[in-house]
Amino acid sequence: MKVSAEILNLIPYKTGKPISETKREYGLTEVYKLASNENPLGPSPKVIAAIKNALDQQHLYPDPVCHDLVHKISEKWNVPTTQIGVGNGSNEIIDLLIRIFCEPGDAILTSQAAFVAYQVCAQAARVKVRTVDLKPDLTMDLKAIADHFFRNPTAKIRLIFIPNPNNPTGTSVGGAELEEFLVRLGNRDDVLLVFDEAYTEYVRNPEFKAAAQFYQKYSNVLVLKTFSKVYGMAGLRLGVILAPEYVLEFYNRVRNPFNVNDLAQVAAIAALEDEDYIAESRKVTWTGLDYFYKELTRLNLPFFKSDGNFILFDTKRNAQTCFVNLLKKGIILRPVGNYGFPNYLRMTVGKAFENEKAIEAIEKMLAEIPEIS
Ligand SMILES: *Cc1c(COP(=O)(O)O)cnc(C)c1O
């Protein structure tokens, strides 16, 4: 069978290494995973109760329009129901947006070291990926992205993806830069601006503004939200898109009718109700980040301050070697060589004792692997 060059060369998204696999491969009984930016608190007790309560209806197909969930989101986030779409994680939404709005040979534009899902989905759809360099402080350069768009009118750039805060860097773009970007590119009818706001609940940068708060002023601004991070539901798979009606009309035409399963729907309604859990998740994350800042400073390892629930730090060594060394100690972190950081690891904030275990293991590792001079 003939397969396109894009598919032949496609490097699939590399997920965090599972705990079970690490236990098996290294004969360990105690393993901590700080690799996938999951919420360390486990699901909200309200989510668990809602799921248990819905188990006896699982022989039925789920509600294809997610009526109750969409109304709950509308109420909690103050967005009209007609501007809310749902997906099997934001990953599915990214995939569908590219398939809907790009033809093979068209392009998407994003930043270097942006969340890699955009690239994987684009390549699978035979869509080109154009990137603009990060600034030296690893924040995205929105001005350069807008400049790139205007300088390349024949590149057929249909979608611009802005993950804010970004993963794996943890950096965010300030409100002034965002607004300037929107003044230049907002309300155009030849390009959609997709703000991927998976981590906004964790942001402490006082300059930050979420596009979710004012996207309605623009006809071409889309916002992606996820239930995988602060809502603690990564395993249930739920992403949300806030978008103008005409975008959602196409989106709902193309998506699988039952893309969001029933347990995810009831769970998300419960998660949206549990504001204490959200507050606790943020507190645990911020405390953990401050602990990492202190300890990485003590260990003399450079890092970037994070507006997410994870931190990117420089091991000053080959990060793949460090990653394997830490696996043997029962700590799963995330190498990010595929993003252009061969010496860096990304570490998710865990519970306090998990964070301490991770730092302990890193300290031992530093003594075992010589620094690159
Ligand atoms: C984790 C993450 C998501 C969430 O993806 P899901 O498919 O909803 O689990 C989206 N965008 C970014 C930048 C992320 O880091």
Side-chain angles (χ1 to χ4, degrees):
M1 274 302 290
K2 192 174 173 303
V3 170
S4 72
E6 290 87 346
I7 303 291
L8 281 174
N9 297 327
L10 186 76
I11 302 168
Y13 182 74
K14 198 157 165 32
T15 57
K17 197 172 173 70
I19 292 175
S20 53
E21 189 180 298
T22 309
K23 284 184 175 167
R24 226 171 28 241
E25 284 178 13
Y26 294 94
L28 299 166
T29 49
E30 203 186 329
V31 170
Y32 301 98
K33 182 182 176 206
L34 300 177
S36 298
N37 303 347
E38 291 144 335
N39 192 322
L41 298 180
S44 146
K46 292 193 174 148
V47 163
I48 295 174
I51 288 174
K52 283 188 179 159
N53 197 36
L55 286 177
D56 66 358
Q57 68 195 35
Q58 295 314 310
H59 60 301
L60 301 173
Y61 280 105
D63 174 4
V65 298
C66 301
H67 174 276
D68 295 354
L69 171 59
V70 165
H71 278 76
K72 179 59 75 183
I73 292 172
S74 164
E75 172 199 321
K76 287 285 175 187
W77 295 354
N78 199 21
V79 178
T81 55
T82 51
Q83 296 178 9
I84 299 168
V86 284
N88 192 261
S90 19
N91 222 287
E92 184 194 28
I93 303 176
I94 293 163
D95 195 40
L96 290 177
L97 287 175
I98 291 172
R99 282 165 50 194
I100 293 165
F101 293 105
C102 302
E103 292 179 33
D106 287 355
I108 65 162
L109 174 61
T110 187
S111 176
Q112 177 226 333
F115 185 44
V116 77
Y118 319 132
Q119 187 191 320
V120 175
C121 295
Q123 200 175 331
R126 293 163 220 178
V127 168
K128 298 196 173 103
V129 181
R130 304 178 75 97
T131 57
V132 166
D133 285 350
L134 289 169
K135 294 183 192 171
D137 63 0
L138 292 203
T139 60
M140 273 179 298
D141 193 339
L142 292 196
K143 181 178 176 300
I145 290 174
D147 288 345
H148 183 102
F149 176 82
F150 288 114
R151 278 199 206 115
N152 294 279
T154 58
K156 296 186 278 185
I157 297 165
R158 308 297 182 211
L159 294 162
I160 302 180
F161 283 94
I162 309 289
N164 196 28
N166 183 32
N167 166 19
T169 57
T171 54
S172 67
V173 169
E177 196 173 342
L178 175 68
E179 282 176 78
E180 208 174 295
F181 179 78
L182 289 172
V183 166
R184 291 180 72 192
L185 286 169
N187 290 326
R188 292 184 69 91
D189 62 9
D190 58 350
V191 67
L192 294 174
L193 315 174
V194 186
F195 292 90
D196 184 352
E197 302 197 330
Y199 299 100
T200 51
E201 294 83 1
Y202 299 112
V203 173
R204 287 189 284 181
N205 171 8
E207 307 293 319
F208 181 82
K209 274 193 193 150
Q213 285 163 19
F214 54 90
Y215 80 95
Q216 285 158 318
K217 288 194 346 207
Y218 302 94
S219 60
N220 63 337
V221 172
L222 282 50
V223 177
L224 305 185
K225 297 290 293 174
T226 181
F227 278 71
S228 298
K229 308 288 157 61
V230 80
Y231 290 98
M233 289 179 29
L236 287 157
R237 313 302 304 129
L238 178 63
V240 176
I241 174 173
L242 309 178
E245 280 91 352
Y246 77 92
V247 168
L248 287 176
E249 199 202 299
F250 293 121
Y251 177 77
N252 285 321
R253 229 186 262 193
V254 172
R255 74 175 170 87
N256 180 316
F258 304 115
N259 60 339
V260 175
N261 70 75
D262 183 64
L263 295 179
Q265 294 186 36
V266 297
I269 292 169
L272 285 161
E273 290 290 0
D274 196 350
E275 283 166 21
D276 291 345
Y277 174 86
I278 304 295
E280 180 63 16
S281 300
R282 298 167 68 173
K283 206 177 93 193
V284 165
T285 300
W286 290 336
T287 308
L289 278 176
D290 290 342
Y291 170 76
F292 284 155
Y293 295 164
K294 187 178 84 181
E295 290 299 308
L296 292 171
T297 304
R298 178 178 68 80
L299 298 174
N300 205 15
L301 297 179
F303 59 87
F304 292 89
K305 282 206 163 179
S306 174
D307 276 326
N309 62 345
F310 56 89
I311 187 164
L312 185 67
F313 69 95
D314 185 355
T315 63
K316 302 188 185 169
R317 288 148 179 86
N318 177 295
Q320 192 60 36
T321 311
C322 296
F323 168 68
V324 174
N325 180 291
L326 291 168
L327 282 182
K328 292 177 186 158
K329 296 178 169 59
I331 301 293
I332 314 174
L333 302 189
R334 190 71 160 264
V336 283
N338 58 330
Y339 288 94
F341 303 111
N343 296 347
Y344 282 72
L345 287 172
R346 194 191 68 193
M347 176 161 60
T348 303
V349 177
K351 288 183 178 162
F353 79 95
E354 295 175 309
N355 301 337
E356 285 162 22
K357 293 251 181 211
I359 292 293
E360 237 172 70
I362 290 168
E363 190 161 10
K364 282 195 195 130
M365 172 208 81
L366 293 178
E368 290 165 9
I369 305 174
E371 194 174 320
I372 298 171
S373 48

